[in-house]
PDB file of all heavy atoms in Angstrom:
ATOM      1  N   CYS A 435      80.235 150.087 115.620  1.00 91.00           N
ATOM      2  CA  CYS A 435      79.521 149.146 114.754  1.00 91.00           C
ATOM      3  C   CYS A 435      80.499 148.229 114.028  1.00 91.00           C
ATOM      4  O   CYS A 435      81.684 148.523 113.919  1.00 91.00           O
ATOM      5  CB  CYS A 435      78.636 149.889 113.763  1.00 91.00           C
ATOM      6  SG  CYS A 435      79.525 150.607 112.402  1.00 91.00           S
ATOM      7  N   SER A 436      79.986 147.106 113.539  1.00 91.00           N
ATOM      8  CA  SER A 436      80.873 146.179 112.850  1.00 91.00           C
ATOM      9  C   SER A 436      81.224 146.767 111.482  1.00 91.00           C
ATOM     10  O   SER A 436      80.415 147.469 110.869  1.00 91.00           O
ATOM     11  CB  SER A 436      80.217 144.807 112.713  1.00 91.00           C
ATOM     12  OG  SER A 436      79.149 144.881 111.812  1.00 91.00           O
ATOM     13  N   ALA A 437      82.451 146.482 111.031  1.00 94.00           N
ATOM     14  CA  ALA A 437      83.005 147.114 109.832  1.00 94.00           C
ATOM     15  C   ALA A 437      82.081 146.963 108.623  1.00 94.00           C
ATOM     16  O   ALA A 437      81.949 147.861 107.799  1.00 94.00           O
ATOM     17  CB  ALA A 437      84.369 146.517 109.525  1.00 94.00           C
ATOM     18  N   GLN A 438      81.402 145.833 108.572  1.00 96.00           N
ATOM     19  CA  GLN A 438      80.520 145.524 107.463  1.00 96.00           C
ATOM     20  C   GLN A 438      79.418 146.580 107.252  1.00 96.00           C
ATOM     21  O   GLN A 438      78.995 146.835 106.139  1.00 96.00           O
ATOM     22  CB  GLN A 438      79.890 144.178 107.797  1.00 96.00           C
ATOM     23  CG  GLN A 438      79.236 143.483 106.659  1.00 96.00           C
ATOM     24  CD  GLN A 438      78.533 142.226 107.169  1.00 96.00           C
ATOM     25  OE1 GLN A 438      78.759 141.767 108.295  1.00 96.00           O
ATOM     26  NE2 GLN A 438      77.671 141.675 106.335  1.00 96.00           N
ATOM     27  N   TYR A 439      78.935 147.173 108.351  1.00 97.00           N
ATOM     28  CA  TYR A 439      77.814 148.106 108.252  1.00 97.00           C
ATOM     29  C   TYR A 439      78.230 149.547 108.541  1.00 97.00           C
ATOM     30  O   TYR A 439      77.406 150.404 108.804  1.00 97.00           O
ATOM     31  CB  TYR A 439      76.697 147.688 109.221  1.00 97.00           C
ATOM     32  CG  TYR A 439      76.194 146.306 108.931  1.00 97.00           C
ATOM     33  CD1 TYR A 439      76.377 145.265 109.845  1.00 97.00           C
ATOM     34  CD2 TYR A 439      75.548 146.024 107.727  1.00 97.00           C
ATOM     35  CE1 TYR A 439      75.932 143.988 109.564  1.00 97.00           C
ATOM     36  CE2 TYR A 439      75.104 144.747 107.445  1.00 97.00           C
ATOM     37  CZ  TYR A 439      75.294 143.734 108.360  1.00 97.00           C
ATOM     38  OH  TYR A 439      74.856 142.477 108.073  1.00 97.00           O
ATOM     39  N   ARG A 440      79.513 149.798 108.503  1.00 97.00           N
ATOM     40  CA  ARG A 440      80.042 151.097 108.875  1.00 97.00           C
ATOM     41  C   ARG A 440      79.375 152.239 108.091  1.00 97.00           C
ATOM     42  O   ARG A 440      78.886 153.200 108.669  1.00 97.00           O
ATOM     43  CB  ARG A 440      81.545 151.113 108.640  1.00 97.00           C
ATOM     44  CG  ARG A 440      82.276 152.159 109.428  1.00 97.00           C
ATOM     45  CD  ARG A 440      83.757 152.038 109.198  1.00 97.00           C
ATOM     46  NE  ARG A 440      84.054 152.474 107.836  1.00 97.00           N
ATOM     47  CZ  ARG A 440      84.853 153.475 107.522  1.00 97.00           C
ATOM     48  NH1 ARG A 440      85.464 154.123 108.466  1.00 97.00           N
ATOM     49  NH2 ARG A 440      85.053 153.820 106.283  1.00 97.00           N
ATOM     50  N   GLU A 441      79.348 152.113 106.768  1.00 98.00           N
ATOM     51  CA  GLU A 441      78.842 153.220 105.948  1.00 98.00           C
ATOM     52  C   GLU A 441      77.390 153.557 106.287  1.00 98.00           C
ATOM     53  O   GLU A 441      77.061 154.704 106.513  1.00 98.00           O
ATOM     54  CB  GLU A 441      78.952 152.904 104.443  1.00 98.00           C
ATOM     55  CG  GLU A 441      80.348 153.098 103.888  1.00 98.00           C
ATOM     56  CD  GLU A 441      81.187 151.840 103.979  1.00 98.00           C
ATOM     57  OE1 GLU A 441      80.665 150.822 104.491  1.00 98.00           O
ATOM     58  OE2 GLU A 441      82.364 151.877 103.545  1.00 98.00           O
ATOM     59  N   ILE A 442      76.574 152.537 106.341  1.00 98.00           N
ATOM     60  CA  ILE A 442      75.150 152.810 106.565  1.00 98.00           C
ATOM     61  C   ILE A 442      74.920 153.407 107.965  1.00 98.00           C
ATOM     62  O   ILE A 442      74.145 154.340 108.143  1.00 98.00           O
ATOM     63  CB  ILE A 442      74.281 151.548 106.307  1.00 98.00           C
ATOM     64  CG1 ILE A 442      72.811 151.899 106.483  1.00 98.00           C
ATOM     65  CG2 ILE A 442      74.631 150.387 107.188  1.00 98.00           C
ATOM     66  CD1 ILE A 442      71.898 150.812 106.035  1.00 98.00           C
ATOM     67  N   VAL A 443      75.660 152.898 108.953  1.00 98.00           N
ATOM     68  CA  VAL A 443      75.507 153.433 110.310  1.00 98.00           C
ATOM     69  C   VAL A 443      75.983 154.893 110.364  1.00 98.00           C
ATOM     70  O   VAL A 443      75.326 155.749 110.965  1.00 98.00           O
ATOM     71  CB  VAL A 443      76.273 152.561 111.340  1.00 98.00           C
ATOM     72  CG1 VAL A 443      76.306 153.230 112.697  1.00 98.00           C
ATOM     73  CG2 VAL A 443      75.627 151.180 111.464  1.00 98.00           C
ATOM     74  N   TYR A 444      77.088 155.204 109.693  1.00 97.00           N
ATOM     75  CA  TYR A 444      77.591 156.585 109.672  1.00 97.00           C
ATOM     76  C   TYR A 444      76.588 157.523 108.997  1.00 97.00           C
ATOM     77  O   TYR A 444      76.379 158.658 109.429  1.00 97.00           O
ATOM     78  CB  TYR A 444      78.930 156.666 108.929  1.00 97.00           C
ATOM     79  CG  TYR A 444      80.137 156.225 109.737  1.00 97.00           C
ATOM     80  CD1 TYR A 444      80.006 155.381 110.832  1.00 97.00           C
ATOM     81  CD2 TYR A 444      81.418 156.655 109.389  1.00 97.00           C
ATOM     82  CE1 TYR A 444      81.107 154.972 111.554  1.00 97.00           C
ATOM     83  CE2 TYR A 444      82.540 156.254 110.118  1.00 97.00           C
ATOM     84  CZ  TYR A 444      82.385 155.408 111.191  1.00 97.00           C
ATOM     85  OH  TYR A 444      83.486 155.003 111.900  1.00 97.00           O
ATOM     86  N   ILE A 445      75.959 157.023 107.920  1.00 98.00           N
ATOM     87  CA  ILE A 445      74.992 157.858 107.192  1.00 98.00           C
ATOM     88  C   ILE A 445      73.789 158.192 108.095  1.00 98.00           C
ATOM     89  O   ILE A 445      73.383 159.340 108.215  1.00 98.00           O
ATOM     90  CB  ILE A 445      74.505 157.131 105.907  1.00 98.00           C
ATOM     91  CG1 ILE A 445      75.651 157.041 104.887  1.00 98.00           C
ATOM     92  CG2 ILE A 445      73.307 157.850 105.291  1.00 98.00           C
ATOM     93  CD1 ILE A 445      75.388 156.086 103.725  1.00 98.00           C
ATOM     94  N   ILE A 446      73.272 157.178 108.776  1.00 98.00           N
ATOM     95  CA  ILE A 446      72.116 157.404 109.665  1.00 98.00           C
ATOM     96  C   ILE A 446      72.512 158.291 110.851  1.00 98.00           C
ATOM     97  O   ILE A 446      71.781 159.188 111.249  1.00 98.00           O
ATOM     98  CB  ILE A 446      71.522 156.062 110.150  1.00 98.00           C
ATOM     99  CG1 ILE A 446      70.967 155.293 108.946  1.00 98.00           C
ATOM    100  CG2 ILE A 446      70.439 156.271 111.201  1.00 98.00           C
ATOM    101  CD1 ILE A 446      70.601 153.852 109.226  1.00 98.00           C
ATOM    102  N   TYR A 447      73.707 158.041 111.372  1.00 96.00           N
ATOM    103  CA  TYR A 447      74.213 158.832 112.498  1.00 96.00           C
ATOM    104  C   TYR A 447      74.266 160.315 112.126  1.00 96.00           C
ATOM    105  O   TYR A 447      73.818 161.181 112.878  1.00 96.00           O
ATOM    106  CB  TYR A 447      75.600 158.321 112.874  1.00 96.00           C
ATOM    107  CG  TYR A 447      76.399 159.175 113.838  1.00 96.00           C
ATOM    108  CD1 TYR A 447      76.187 159.086 115.211  1.00 96.00           C
ATOM    109  CD2 TYR A 447      77.385 160.043 113.383  1.00 96.00           C
ATOM    110  CE1 TYR A 447      76.932 159.847 116.102  1.00 96.00           C
ATOM    111  CE2 TYR A 447      78.133 160.810 114.262  1.00 96.00           C
ATOM    112  CZ  TYR A 447      77.915 160.708 115.624  1.00 96.00           C
ATOM    113  OH  TYR A 447      78.656 161.460 116.501  1.00 96.00           O
ATOM    114  N   LEU A 448      74.786 160.605 110.933  1.00 97.00           N
ATOM    115  CA  LEU A 448      74.889 162.001 110.515  1.00 97.00           C
ATOM    116  C   LEU A 448      73.508 162.603 110.266  1.00 97.00           C
ATOM    117  O   LEU A 448      73.239 163.743 110.665  1.00 97.00           O
ATOM    118  CB  LEU A 448      75.779 162.121 109.265  1.00 97.00           C
ATOM    119  CG  LEU A 448      76.139 163.558 108.873  1.00 97.00           C
ATOM    120  CD1 LEU A 448      76.973 164.227 109.960  1.00 97.00           C
ATOM    121  CD2 LEU A 448      76.890 163.608 107.545  1.00 97.00           C
TER     122      LEU A 448
END
Side-chain angles (χ1 to χ4, degrees):
C435 77
S436 69
Q438 196 186 346
Y439 301 114
R440 201 176 71 120
E441 281 90 359
I442 183 170
V443 171
Y444 281 22
I445 291 167
I446 296 169
Y447 169 82
L448 189 64

